[in-house]
Amino acid sequence: MASVYYFTLILSLLFLLNPSTATTRKLSALVEQQPLVLKYHNGALLKGNLTVNLIWYGKFSPIQRSILIDFIQSLSSSKSTALKPPSVSSWWKTTEKYKTGSSKLVLGKQIFNEKYSLGKSLKTYQIVALAAKADLKNAINVVLTAKDVAVDGFCMSKCGTHGSAFGGKGKMKSKFAYVWVGNSETQCPGQCAWPFHQPIYGPQSPPLVAPNGDVGVDGMVINLATVLAGTVTNPFKNGYFQGPATAPLEAVSACTGIFGKGAYPGYAGELLVDKTTGASYNARGLNGRKYLLPAMWDPKTSTCSTLV
């Protein structure tokens, strides 16, 4: 037990020292869950019809793009409501339990930057600049970086982030929400693509088979789900969160490491298994896709809610 205690203590210190102002999904959160209460700080939430614009930075295959696009379209599409549960849309419906109603996400424009115009090592301000190139009104602009792109803090302290910034020109400047998620396939799959890869730290268990056959991109789905939920429930650092605003535990990051009932450190929980591929999943999406989505904090029950 002593080794677990010190592991948890070290991870807690790392969390407090993290200077990032955005949501971080960490494998390090695979510790025993304590009772959770995400306080509402009376700030604005993102509700209503929201456009999700995608900025692809680096090279993604058509199949990789389709996995992520199908996921986004599965969140709020009218077709997704007809899917046999558990579904991606039923997972997203938990965000409706947060104050002021629902958030409907609709896929918007896509911007492709396959020539690495800013190089292969990006700073946070460059992520914001890339996000600002898409439409800003009623939008969440998502920057997705390829497996050969390094980003400030990637792997060391974060797998994805969200934040807000001002964009536009002159009097037309407005505040917009942005998201970044990186492909960790070759950089840190044990940290950012768990449970589809052996973890770097903590209890060791065999990795699960990724539902779409791509460890890096299936890991991106988990991280994208995490930061999208954080974006709509805590877009401007004064929504729902626990702890300091500079390093908050949010709707999903407060439940990191939990995917199904009975989860504990090193074990994702009871999941569904595809009989043909042996892949683990807990949500059905459009176009026959299957996904593994993290637990989300339910404000009605003050617990981390899972689909299975």
Side-chain angles (χ1 to χ4, degrees), residues 45-53 103-109 134-141 174-178 231-232 236:
L45 309 185
L46 296 186
K47 297 295 181 178
N49 294 328
L50 302 169
T51 301
V52 178
N53 299 307
S103 304
K104 182 178 180 181
L105 304 186
V106 179
L107 183 66
K109 294 182 178 180
D135 295 335
L136 306 181
K137 188 176 180 181
N138 296 325
I140 300 174
N141 292 339
S174 60
K175 202 169 190 178
F176 70 97
Y178 70 88
T231 298
V232 300
F236 308 120

Side-chain angles (χ1 to χ4, degrees), residues 204-285:
Q204 300 292 303
S205 57
L208 304 179
V209 177
N212 293 286
D214 190 313
V215 169
V217 175
D218 277 303
M220 289 181 78
V221 169
I222 295 173
N223 298 316
L224 182 56
T226 300
V227 290
L228 283 176
T231 298
V232 300
T233 59
N234 186 35
F236 308 120
K237 305 179 188 177
N238 55 7
Y240 281 87
F241 65 89
Q242 181 190 68
T246 53
L249 288 176
E250 299 178 326
V252 174
S253 61
C255 302
T256 301
I258 302 174
F259 295 88
K261 293 179 181 178
Y264 55 81
Y267 174 59
E270 299 175 13
L271 304 172
L272 301 174
V273 178
D274 187 290
K275 294 180 180 179
T276 302
T277 65
S280 296
Y281 69 99
N282 61 7
R284 296 180 177 88

Side-chain angles (χ1 to χ4, degrees), residues 40 43-48 96-103 232 240:
Y40 177 50
L45 309 185
L46 296 186
K47 297 295 181 178
E96 295 180 6
K97 299 180 182 181
Y98 291 72
K99 289 183 182 293
T100 69
S102 63
S103 304
V232 300
Y240 281 87

Side-chain angles (χ1 to χ4, degrees), residues 8 19 51 57 64 71 81 94 104 120 133 146 165 168 170-171 173 177 182 190 202 225 229 242 245 294 296 298 304:
T8 304
T51 301
Y57 190 86
Q64 289 178 323
F71 168 67
T81 59
T94 301
K104 182 178 180 181
K120 292 187 176 183
K133 293 182 181 297
K171 295 182 179 180
K173 278 191 174 182
Q242 181 190 68
M296 189 187 307
D298 187 328
C304 290

Side-chain angles (χ1 to χ4, degrees), residues 149-166:
V149 178
V151 176
D152 257 357
F154 190 21
C155 298
M156 293 182 289
S157 63
K158 58 192 178 185
C159 305
T161 60
H162 77 85
S164 61
F166 282 94

Side-chain angles (χ1 to χ4, degrees), residues 4-295:
V4 174
Y5 170 79
Y6 287 115
F7 172 64
T8 304
L9 178 62
I10 291 170
L11 294 176
S12 299
L13 290 172
L14 287 172
F15 182 85
L16 292 173
L17 291 172
N18 176 21
S20 171
T21 59
T23 299
T24 300
R25 177 176 108 80
K26 301 180 182 179
L27 181 66
S28 61
L30 291 176
V31 295
E32 184 178 354
Q33 284 292 126
Q34 299 298 318
L36 284 173
V37 177
L38 301 192
K39 182 181 178 182
Y40 177 50
H41 295 78
N42 301 313
L45 309 185
L46 296 186
K47 297 295 181 178
N49 294 328
L50 302 169
T51 301
V52 178
N53 299 307
L54 302 180
I55 299 93
W56 302 92
Y57 190 86
K59 295 179 180 178
F60 290 84
S61 71
I63 293 176
Q64 289 178 323
R65 290 197 186 104
S66 68
I67 294 169
L68 293 164
I69 289 172
D70 286 347
F71 168 67
I72 291 171
Q73 292 183 318
S74 297
L75 290 167
S76 303
S77 170
S78 58
K79 294 181 180 179
S80 62
T81 59
L83 293 172
K84 179 182 177 182
S87 66
V88 173
S89 61
S90 61
W91 177 85
W92 185 250
K93 276 186 173 295
T94 301
T95 63
E96 295 180 6
K97 299 180 182 181
Y98 291 72
K99 289 183 182 293
T100 69
S102 63
S103 304
K104 182 178 180 181
L105 304 186
V106 179
L107 183 66
K109 294 182 178 180
Q110 298 185 60
I111 297 174
F112 301 95
N113 192 327
E114 295 184 324
K115 295 184 177 181
Y116 305 88
S117 64
L118 300 178
K120 292 187 176 183
S121 181
L122 302 180
K123 303 294 185 182
T124 299
Y125 76 89
Q126 292 174 307
I127 294 292
V128 176
L130 288 169
K133 293 182 181 297
D135 295 335
L136 306 181
K137 188 176 180 181
N138 296 325
I140 300 174
N141 292 339
V142 179
V143 179
L144 301 166
T145 52
K147 63 182 179 181
D148 56 351
V149 178
V151 176
D152 257 357
F154 190 21
C155 298
M156 293 182 289
S157 63
K158 58 192 178 185
C159 305
T161 60
H162 77 85
S164 61
F166 282 94
K169 297 180 180 180
K171 295 182 179 180
M172 298 299 291
K173 278 191 174 182
S174 60
K175 202 169 190 178
F176 70 97
Y178 70 88
V179 159
W180 160 74
V181 173
N183 185 336
S184 65
E185 178 187 343
T186 57
Q187 298 188 55
C188 54
Q191 181 174 345
C192 295
W194 186 87
F196 305 127
H197 190 280
Q198 203 77 16
I200 298 176
Y201 307 109
Q204 300 292 303
S205 57
L208 304 179
V209 177
N212 293 286
D214 190 313
V215 169
V217 175
D218 277 303
M220 289 181 78
V221 169
I222 295 173
N223 298 316
L224 182 56
T226 300
V227 290
L228 283 176
T231 298
V232 300
T233 59
N234 186 35
F236 308 120
K237 305 179 188 177
N238 55 7
Y240 281 87
F241 65 89
Q242 181 190 68
T246 53
L249 288 176
E250 299 178 326
V252 174
S253 61
C255 302
T256 301
I258 302 174
F259 295 88
K261 293 179 181 178
Y264 55 81
Y267 174 59
E270 299 175 13
L271 304 172
L272 301 174
V273 178
D274 187 290
K275 294 180 180 179
T276 302
T277 65
S280 296
Y281 69 99
N282 61 7
R284 296 180 177 88
L286 297 177
N287 299 318
R289 296 283 183 196
K290 294 181 174 69
Y291 297 100
L292 183 64
L293 301 181

